[in-house]
Amino acid sequence: MNNFVYDIPTKVYFGENQLGNLGPELSKYGKKVLLTYGGGSIKKIGLYDKVVEEIKKAGLELFELSGIDPNPRVSSVNAGADICKREGIDVLLAVGGGSVIDCTKYIGAAAYYDGDAWDILLKKTPVEQCLPIVTVLTLSATGSEMDSGGVISNPETNDKIGLLFPVMQPKVSFLDPTVTYSVNRYQTACGAADIMSHIIEVYFNMNQDLYMLDTVMEGLMKTVIKYTPVALAEPDNYEARANLMWASSWAINGFVNGGKRHAWSCHPMEHELSAFYDITHGLGLAILTPRWMGYTLDEKTIGKFVQYGVNVFGIDPTLPQMEIAQQGIERLKAFFFETLGLQSTLTEIDIDDTHFGLMAEKAAELGATKYAFRPLAAEDIEKIYRMCL
Ligand code: NZQ
Ligand code: ZN
């Protein structure tokens, strides 16, 4: 087991009726609050009114930035940072899914920078400060509520870049499963695929000595496989929504890394799909992940596939190893494309091979390095994209 540092400094209020703590938590950081949200789902479900009421009850001054898009744009980051500088904002309150939370993280960082926020993504300027961030999560998927990462798109250059900065870690997150009852079938399914992928990116590595964490990750994957169909059938099933919500946070908050030497593979490939075609992140991952698995399965990697097939899907351990591995991949496909009902190919979502060469080169630069389960060069990535057609 390698050395590592465990430090996940987000305070979580989990469950129903916890918003009474919102005002006191925000007040710890000052008086002026910038509330950030997306296209209006929080108004439809009555969450906006509740949040505003808590802010007013606490005597805080409210400012707003709305209209943050899925695959959030750098233009929203710049707009938010301008408000922070102009109004002297003390604390940011992100109410939404991963897109709103990610955008808010960079707003907090850009508030301390005088240029275009895109410079931060291009690593032209260091991020050493960020305004304090409080989140109210409304969609179980990205884990942004409990990690220090964020992904921002620049449609002008077809770029989508994700970075991690410890100062962007939310101070407090409110996780109320009931606010996810309104998440539709498609977003629930895409969220589940994203959670699965976050675990798979770490689980499939060449470290052999982390039984404890492997077991945790198998449990997280089984949780998603068990409860997503329940949430699809009964959107207001508390047990299902609660299990998915907590799994989404723990899949990516750093705990399962445990010093493993690993590099992510499917996320860099997916971010290029989203950058060029503005597709939903989880959908891209669902299409890519089983193909990536098929591409990486060989004599060297088979052991992990067998462990996954047996422990996650309960495949008969007495079968030949290759059969277990292949059945495991097929079971994941069935989960994504039959149980969750997601589209199964890039062709179905009108993506052809026009940009594969460039996307593969960019993805190879972003990740899949020497610590990857199987290091991927641009040629490998292009082949995987073609397997998805
Ligand atoms: O914009 P609104 O009106 O809020 O509607 C959203 C949006 O249309 C809707 N929604 C959210 N909560 C809802 C709801 N609709 C009804 N009821 C609710 N309670 O769902 C749509 C998608 O929202 P979005 O925030 O885009 O989804 P998600 O949480 O999947 O976030 C995706 C973004 O996060 C990035 C992705 O790349 C993508 O840009 N990621 C962030 C990560 C991180 N910070 O660690 C890691 C991930 O791997 C991922 O890359
Ligand atoms: Zn993801």
Side-chain angles (χ1 to χ4, degrees):
M1 218 161 167
N2 298 315
N3 293 0
F4 62 89
V5 176
Y6 170 88
D7 183 16
I8 306 173
T10 301
K11 179 173 178 179
V12 172
Y13 285 93
F14 192 95
E16 250 186 305
N17 303 323
Q18 297 262 30
L19 274 188
N21 298 293
L22 182 61
E25 288 293 351
L26 289 168
S27 301
K28 289 181 187 168
Y29 303 102
K31 281 264 166 216
K32 294 186 172 187
V33 182
L34 175 62
L35 166 64
T36 56
Y37 55 100
S41 68
I42 68 162
K43 289 195 170 166
K44 279 193 207 133
I45 63 175
L47 182 58
Y48 172 87
D49 289 340
K50 285 189 194 157
V51 163
V52 169
E53 193 187 320
E54 295 301 328
I55 291 172
K56 293 206 169 133
K57 227 194 283 173
L60 303 173
E61 199 178 342
L62 175 65
F63 300 83
E64 290 190 26
L65 176 76
S66 61
I68 296 172
D69 295 306
N71 296 327
R73 316 289 194 253
V74 66
S75 50
S76 295
V77 178
N78 280 320
D82 284 347
I83 300 175
C84 293
K85 291 176 207 162
R86 197 171 59 235
E87 306 293 351
I89 297 296
D90 298 311
V91 53
L92 303 174
L93 173 61
V95 183
S99 294
V100 170
I101 300 175
D102 282 8
C103 183
T104 306
K105 289 176 176 175
Y106 286 95
I107 291 172
Y112 291 95
Y113 179 61
D114 274 334
D116 180 357
W118 193 243
D119 292 347
I120 295 175
L121 280 304
L122 295 178
K123 296 190 187 163
K124 286 186 183 166
T125 176
V127 172
E128 282 153 4
Q129 277 177 289
C130 181
L131 286 169
I133 294 165
V134 175
T135 84
V136 178
L137 179 68
T138 64
L139 200 167
S140 305
T142 66
S144 189
E145 66 278 7
M146 213 176 167
D147 75 16
S148 62
V151 193
I152 299 296
S153 295
N154 186 342
E156 283 173 24
T157 56
N158 282 340
D159 280 310
K160 181 171 180 183
I161 302 177
L163 297 173
L164 296 163
F165 295 106
V167 290
M168 297 195 316
Q169 180 92 21
K171 302 278 184 215
V172 185
S173 284
F174 287 81
L175 273 57
D176 176 354
T178 66
V179 306
T180 66
Y181 289 172
S182 55
V183 177
N184 66 24
R185 286 185 70 81
Y186 173 70
Q187 290 294 345
T188 300
C190 289
D194 194 20
I195 303 169
M196 284 296 281
S197 173
H198 295 156
I199 306 160
I200 286 169
E201 296 274 27
V202 183
Y203 183 82
F204 285 88
N205 68 84
M206 298 310 259
N207 302 263
Q208 300 296 337
D209 59 352
L210 275 158
Y211 175 84
M212 176 269 196
L213 289 175
D214 276 3
T215 311
V216 171
M217 286 187 273
E218 287 158 6
L220 287 168
M221 285 191 266
K222 285 163 84 168
T223 302
V224 178
I225 292 164
K226 176 180 163 79
Y227 281 111
T228 313
V230 180
L232 292 178
E234 301 164 46
D236 58 354
N237 183 303
Y238 186 86
E239 184 180 323
R241 293 294 193 181
N243 275 277
L244 290 172
M245 195 168 230
W246 203 214
S248 89
S249 304
W250 281 87
I252 193 178
N253 69 8
F255 170 68
V256 297
N257 293 356
K260 283 194 185 74
R261 293 222 170 85
H262 69 280
W264 287 27
S265 301
C266 293
H267 273 67
M269 292 191 270
E270 196 298 308
H271 285 167
E272 292 310 316
L273 286 176
S274 296
F276 277 79
Y277 297 99
D278 199 15
I279 64 167
T280 307
H281 174 61
L283 175 62
L285 291 170
I287 294 172
L288 283 164
T289 304
R291 277 66 184 223
W292 167 80
M293 286 177 151
Y295 193 78
T296 53
L297 172 60
D298 62 18
E299 298 293 300
K300 247 170 88 186
T301 60
I302 193 165
K304 200 75 198 194
F305 280 98
V306 170
Q307 183 189 337
Y308 152 86
V310 171
N311 293 349
V312 178
F313 284 110
I315 296 168
D316 179 357
T318 63
L319 290 172
Q321 289 212 323
M322 192 48 86
E323 200 174 325
I324 297 173
Q326 275 161 351
Q327 273 196 29
I329 298 172
E330 289 310 311
R331 294 286 289 275
L332 187 68
K333 276 190 188 167
F335 176 66
F336 286 154
F337 308 135
E338 291 165 30
T339 311
L340 303 191
L342 291 170
Q343 288 129 313
S344 62
T345 63
L346 293 179
T347 311
E348 276 175 77
I349 53 172
D350 295 327
I351 295 179
D352 62 18
D353 62 359
T354 309
H355 300 294
F356 281 178
L358 180 56
M359 283 162 47
E361 272 172 38
K362 288 171 103 178
E365 277 168 30
L366 287 176
T369 56
K370 65 178 174 174
Y371 292 127
F373 187 52
R374 178 167 160 195
L376 300 174
E379 307 87 81
D380 300 301
I381 295 174
E382 194 170 337
K383 284 183 195 152
I384 295 170
Y385 283 139
R386 288 191 187 285
M387 289 164 75
C388 296
L389 284 170

